[in-house]
Amino acid sequence: GAVALLLSEDPTLTPQTVRDELMKRATPNAVGKPGSGSPTSLLYVGAGKPLPSPEPTPVPTPPPVTSGSWQVVKGDCRQQGNCIVSPNWPRSYNDKEECIISVGIPFDKVWAEDFNTEPNYDKLWVNGKAYHGKIGPKGVKPTSDITWTADFSTRRKGWKLCVRRSTISPTAPAAPVDCTWTTP
């Protein structure tokens, strides 16, 4: 019934577009304790499109990160010490995940200490290069934000990306050493 009503509005809709439109028109989180595999959205089949929802309160823009630091500015990735991990790591990430990690330039090199994503589809982008499958960045110095995107199908463990801070510090000039030889 709901699909027929929607197709009566636009008979050219594809199955995916029909699904997306039904979800867009549904009232989210309106069904409490649905059965296993059932959605929590309430299907809307009234005439025409429902009244638009009010615009959500905009999320404040995070302050810029300072040089040498990084922070998650979008998505469910999270920081763990000197590392940032994909959502749910070390368990599987969800479909349609996205994260943006803002990097304060200059920044030290990063290494993937753990990396397992769906090859060719779920990607971690560093400096315009996509990492996916089981090969993550190793010793890469980020020059811009790092981005994570997962598509809508296969889920994997995800990744743990860590920065290794430089431990070499400038040395002070050595104190003069007396190298005079004396003979007894």
Side-chain angles (χ1 to χ4, degrees):
V3 172
L5 290 171
L6 192 56
L7 289 172
S8 71
E9 291 178 26
D10 184 353
T12 65
L13 295 176
T14 65
Q16 182 64 45
T17 308
V18 167
R19 181 203 172 283
D20 293 345
E21 189 63 29
L22 288 173
M23 291 306 293
K24 184 169 65 175
R25 293 182 184 194
T27 305
N29 302 315
V31 178
K33 297 183 181 179
S36 177
S38 297
T40 60
S41 298
L42 181 63
L43 182 62
Y44 177 84
V45 293
K49 295 183 179 181
L51 294 174
S53 300
E55 289 294 322
T57 305
V59 176
T61 304
V65 291
T66 57
S67 176
S69 65
W70 58 352
Q71 71 181 22
V72 177
V73 294
K74 181 179 180 184
D76 292 328
C77 294
R78 64 188 190 285
Q79 191 156 0
Q80 293 183 346
N82 283 343
C83 302
I84 294 184
V85 297
S86 58
N88 298 328
W89 184 89
R91 295 181 312 274
S92 296
Y93 50 81
N94 293 320
D95 296 338
K96 297 183 181 178
E97 295 273 22
E98 179 182 0
C99 291
I100 297 175
I101 302 159
S102 185
V103 177
I105 306 301
F107 197 75
D108 286 318
K109 293 179 180 179
V110 295
W111 278 262
E113 291 191 1
D114 193 6
F115 201 87
N116 186 356
T117 69
E118 180 185 13
N120 300 313
Y121 297 99
D122 300 344
K123 299 175 182 176
L124 182 71
W125 293 86
V126 182
N127 298 342
K129 179 175 180 179
Y131 295 90
H132 52 91
K134 294 189 182 232
I135 300 172
K138 297 203 182 307
V140 176
K141 191 170 189 138
T143 57
S144 61
D145 289 351
I146 297 170
T147 305
W148 160 247
T149 56
D151 72 355
F152 55 88
S153 61
T154 306
R155 299 175 187 179
R156 299 282 169 87
K157 183 177 181 182
W159 47 266
K160 181 178 184 181
L161 189 65
C162 300
V163 62
R164 296 185 186 165
R165 303 282 180 212
S166 300
T167 56
I168 300 172
S169 60
T171 56
V177 177
D178 183 5
C179 293
T180 338
W181 289 93
T182 55
T183 53

